Amino acid sequence: MKAPFFFGWRNTPATSRWLRVADAASCARLHRTSFAHPWSVPEFEALLNDPACVADGVEIKSSLAGFVLSRRAADEAEVLTIVVAPGSRRNGHGQRLLGAHLARLAGLRVKNLFLEVDEANAAALALYRRFGFTVEGRRKSYYAKAEGKAGDALIMRRALA
């Protein structure tokens, strides 16, 4: 499914769509721009081929600029990853992606959505709070950081139904 839309004050034309296995290399390339331990092409192929996974992306000029990937189990789901290309941030892409993803999951009868986020990631926390996610717990030393340090993850939840 493709839908044209525009983002933010720059009026950047973009297209949203569901992701498929053929997008695995683009997902891996984009994931490397934002994560210390990025996922490989085979890992994305497996996830995108899994019927329990739901993946939405945004393209600008036929290039993947962001995506969100969740896994469903019964009437719950967990956001596995969400990323927006560094050059496309602060234009509403993350907000548009998450909004569309929440609607898609609700349509699939998901009642609760969970995610884990680095407690130091202020931009992600602001996005999640804007969508009504609340902190449900904490995982100590969950994220590997530079110089052998570790950061805590906040476990967040949002009801969809």
PDB file of all heavy atoms in Angstrom, residues 32-46:
ATOM      1  N   ARG A  32      22.172   0.674  10.075  1.00  0.00           N
ATOM      2  CA  ARG A  32      23.575   0.962  10.412  1.00  0.00           C
ATOM      3  C   ARG A  32      23.806   2.426  10.745  1.00  0.00           C
ATOM      4  O   ARG A  32      24.762   2.768  11.432  1.00  0.00           O
ATOM      5  CB  ARG A  32      24.499   0.558   9.252  1.00  0.00           C
ATOM      6  CG  ARG A  32      24.830  -0.897   9.204  1.00  0.00           C
ATOM      7  CD  ARG A  32      25.988  -1.185   8.244  1.00  0.00           C
ATOM      8  NE  ARG A  32      25.751  -0.727   6.887  1.00  0.00           N
ATOM      9  CZ  ARG A  32      25.186  -1.461   5.921  1.00  0.00           C
ATOM     10  NH1 ARG A  32      24.800  -2.689   6.178  1.00  0.00           N
ATOM     11  NH2 ARG A  32      25.030  -0.972   4.715  1.00  0.00           N
ATOM     12  N   THR A  33      22.943   3.314  10.240  1.00  0.00           N
ATOM     13  CA  THR A  33      23.142   4.747  10.480  1.00  0.00           C
ATOM     14  C   THR A  33      22.765   5.166  11.898  1.00  0.00           C
ATOM     15  O   THR A  33      23.086   6.282  12.295  1.00  0.00           O
ATOM     16  CB  THR A  33      22.324   5.606   9.489  1.00  0.00           C
ATOM     17  OG1 THR A  33      20.923   5.455   9.753  1.00  0.00           O
ATOM     18  CG2 THR A  33      22.649   5.254   8.053  1.00  0.00           C
ATOM     19  N   SER A  34      22.083   4.299  12.624  1.00  0.00           N
ATOM     20  CA  SER A  34      21.532   4.722  13.911  1.00  0.00           C
ATOM     21  C   SER A  34      21.820   3.810  15.095  1.00  0.00           C
ATOM     22  O   SER A  34      21.512   4.186  16.223  1.00  0.00           O
ATOM     23  CB  SER A  34      20.015   4.878  13.773  1.00  0.00           C
ATOM     24  OG  SER A  34      19.716   5.869  12.820  1.00  0.00           O
ATOM     25  N   PHE A  35      22.346   2.625  14.859  1.00  0.00           N
ATOM     26  CA  PHE A  35      22.516   1.677  15.958  1.00  0.00           C
ATOM     27  C   PHE A  35      23.944   1.165  16.050  1.00  0.00           C
ATOM     28  O   PHE A  35      24.570   0.870  15.031  1.00  0.00           O
ATOM     29  CB  PHE A  35      21.546   0.501  15.798  1.00  0.00           C
ATOM     30  CG  PHE A  35      20.111   0.910  15.964  1.00  0.00           C
ATOM     31  CD1 PHE A  35      19.333   1.234  14.866  1.00  0.00           C
ATOM     32  CD2 PHE A  35      19.555   1.012  17.229  1.00  0.00           C
ATOM     33  CE1 PHE A  35      18.011   1.642  15.013  1.00  0.00           C
ATOM     34  CE2 PHE A  35      18.236   1.422  17.391  1.00  0.00           C
ATOM     35  CZ  PHE A  35      17.463   1.735  16.276  1.00  0.00           C
ATOM     36  N   ALA A  36      24.438   1.059  17.286  1.00  0.00           N
ATOM     37  CA  ALA A  36      25.801   0.576  17.533  1.00  0.00           C
ATOM     38  C   ALA A  36      25.962  -0.886  17.115  1.00  0.00           C
ATOM     39  O   ALA A  36      27.041  -1.298  16.723  1.00  0.00           O
ATOM     40  CB  ALA A  36      26.162   0.744  19.002  1.00  0.00           C
ATOM     41  N   HIS A  37      24.883  -1.652  17.204  1.00  0.00           N
ATOM     42  CA  HIS A  37      24.902  -3.063  16.827  1.00  0.00           C
ATOM     43  C   HIS A  37      23.806  -3.294  15.793  1.00  0.00           C
ATOM     44  O   HIS A  37      22.736  -3.833  16.126  1.00  0.00           O
ATOM     45  CB  HIS A  37      24.713  -3.954  18.060  1.00  0.00           C
ATOM     46  CG  HIS A  37      25.764  -3.728  19.095  1.00  0.00           C
ATOM     47  ND1 HIS A  37      27.042  -4.212  18.971  1.00  0.00           N
ATOM     48  CD2 HIS A  37      25.746  -3.022  20.258  1.00  0.00           C
ATOM     49  CE1 HIS A  37      27.762  -3.832  20.014  1.00  0.00           C
ATOM     50  NE2 HIS A  37      26.994  -3.110  20.800  1.00  0.00           N
ATOM     51  N   PRO A  38      24.051  -2.895  14.550  1.00  0.00           N
ATOM     52  CA  PRO A  38      23.002  -2.987  13.525  1.00  0.00           C
ATOM     53  C   PRO A  38      22.726  -4.429  13.113  1.00  0.00           C
ATOM     54  O   PRO A  38      23.575  -5.312  13.256  1.00  0.00           O
ATOM     55  CB  PRO A  38      23.586  -2.193  12.361  1.00  0.00           C
ATOM     56  CG  PRO A  38      25.060  -2.298  12.539  1.00  0.00           C
ATOM     57  CD  PRO A  38      25.291  -2.337  14.032  1.00  0.00           C
ATOM     58  N   TRP A  39      21.521  -4.624  12.611  1.00  0.00           N
ATOM     59  CA  TRP A  39      21.108  -5.944  12.134  1.00  0.00           C
ATOM     60  C   TRP A  39      21.576  -6.149  10.703  1.00  0.00           C
ATOM     61  O   TRP A  39      21.678  -5.220   9.915  1.00  0.00           O
ATOM     62  CB  TRP A  39      19.598  -6.090  12.229  1.00  0.00           C
ATOM     63  CG  TRP A  39      19.083  -5.969  13.630  1.00  0.00           C
ATOM     64  CD1 TRP A  39      19.794  -6.042  14.794  1.00  0.00           C
ATOM     65  CD2 TRP A  39      17.736  -5.733  14.011  1.00  0.00           C
ATOM     66  NE1 TRP A  39      18.961  -5.880  15.877  1.00  0.00           N
ATOM     67  CE2 TRP A  39      17.694  -5.690  15.428  1.00  0.00           C
ATOM     68  CE3 TRP A  39      16.554  -5.564  13.298  1.00  0.00           C
ATOM     69  CZ2 TRP A  39      16.525  -5.479  16.134  1.00  0.00           C
ATOM     70  CZ3 TRP A  39      15.388  -5.351  14.009  1.00  0.00           C
ATOM     71  CH2 TRP A  39      15.374  -5.315  15.400  1.00  0.00           C
ATOM     72  N   SER A  40      21.814  -7.410  10.353  1.00  0.00           N
ATOM     73  CA  SER A  40      22.315  -7.777   9.029  1.00  0.00           C
ATOM     74  C   SER A  40      21.175  -7.949   8.025  1.00  0.00           C
ATOM     75  O   SER A  40      19.999  -8.037   8.400  1.00  0.00           O
ATOM     76  CB  SER A  40      23.092  -9.091   9.125  1.00  0.00           C
ATOM     77  OG  SER A  40      22.184 -10.152   9.438  1.00  0.00           O
ATOM     78  N   VAL A  41      21.544  -8.036   6.758  1.00  0.00           N
ATOM     79  CA  VAL A  41      20.561  -8.287   5.702  1.00  0.00           C
ATOM     80  C   VAL A  41      19.818  -9.602   5.964  1.00  0.00           C
ATOM     81  O   VAL A  41      18.579  -9.627   5.912  1.00  0.00           O
ATOM     82  CB  VAL A  41      21.217  -8.272   4.305  1.00  0.00           C
ATOM     83  CG1 VAL A  41      20.235  -8.709   3.222  1.00  0.00           C
ATOM     84  CG2 VAL A  41      21.765  -6.873   3.992  1.00  0.00           C
ATOM     85  N   PRO A  42      20.515 -10.723   6.286  1.00  0.00           N
ATOM     86  CA  PRO A  42      19.774 -11.962   6.564  1.00  0.00           C
ATOM     87  C   PRO A  42      18.812 -11.837   7.747  1.00  0.00           C
ATOM     88  O   PRO A  42      17.731 -12.428   7.733  1.00  0.00           O
ATOM     89  CB  PRO A  42      20.872 -12.993   6.848  1.00  0.00           C
ATOM     90  CG  PRO A  42      22.065 -12.483   6.113  1.00  0.00           C
ATOM     91  CD  PRO A  42      21.968 -10.981   6.212  1.00  0.00           C
ATOM     92  N   GLU A  43      19.183 -11.066   8.768  1.00  0.00           N
ATOM     93  CA  GLU A  43      18.275 -10.871   9.897  1.00  0.00           C
ATOM     94  C   GLU A  43      17.016 -10.128   9.450  1.00  0.00           C
ATOM     95  O   GLU A  43      15.902 -10.495   9.835  1.00  0.00           O
ATOM     96  CB  GLU A  43      18.980 -10.103  11.020  1.00  0.00           C
ATOM     97  CG  GLU A  43      20.017 -10.954  11.736  1.00  0.00           C
ATOM     98  CD  GLU A  43      20.884 -10.170  12.694  1.00  0.00           C
ATOM     99  OE1 GLU A  43      21.407  -9.093  12.323  1.00  0.00           O
ATOM    100  OE2 GLU A  43      21.050 -10.648  13.834  1.00  0.00           O
ATOM    101  N   PHE A  44      17.194  -9.104   8.630  1.00  0.00           N
ATOM    102  CA  PHE A  44      16.022  -8.383   8.129  1.00  0.00           C
ATOM    103  C   PHE A  44      15.205  -9.256   7.183  1.00  0.00           C
ATOM    104  O   PHE A  44      13.975  -9.210   7.206  1.00  0.00           O
ATOM    105  CB  PHE A  44      16.424  -7.073   7.442  1.00  0.00           C
ATOM    106  CG  PHE A  44      16.568  -5.935   8.405  1.00  0.00           C
ATOM    107  CD1 PHE A  44      17.817  -5.454   8.745  1.00  0.00           C
ATOM    108  CD2 PHE A  44      15.448  -5.356   8.999  1.00  0.00           C
ATOM    109  CE1 PHE A  44      17.958  -4.410   9.646  1.00  0.00           C
ATOM    110  CE2 PHE A  44      15.577  -4.313   9.905  1.00  0.00           C
ATOM    111  CZ  PHE A  44      16.837  -3.841  10.231  1.00  0.00           C
ATOM    112  N   GLU A  45      15.861 -10.071   6.377  1.00  0.00           N
ATOM    113  CA  GLU A  45      15.114 -10.978   5.492  1.00  0.00           C
ATOM    114  C   GLU A  45      14.226 -11.904   6.312  1.00  0.00           C
ATOM    115  O   GLU A  45      13.056 -12.114   5.978  1.00  0.00           O
ATOM    116  CB  GLU A  45      16.083 -11.793   4.622  1.00  0.00           C
ATOM    117  CG  GLU A  45      16.727 -10.980   3.535  1.00  0.00           C
ATOM    118  CD  GLU A  45      17.820 -11.736   2.792  1.00  0.00           C
ATOM    119  OE1 GLU A  45      18.339 -12.749   3.310  1.00  0.00           O
ATOM    120  OE2 GLU A  45      18.168 -11.299   1.689  1.00  0.00           O
ATOM    121  N   ALA A  46      14.781 -12.458   7.385  1.00  0.00           N
ATOM    122  CA  ALA A  46      14.004 -13.370   8.234  1.00  0.00           C
ATOM    123  C   ALA A  46      12.821 -12.643   8.871  1.00  0.00           C
ATOM    124  O   ALA A  46      11.698 -13.167   8.887  1.00  0.00           O
ATOM    125  CB  ALA A  46      14.903 -13.979   9.305  1.00  0.00           C
TER     126      ALA A  46
END
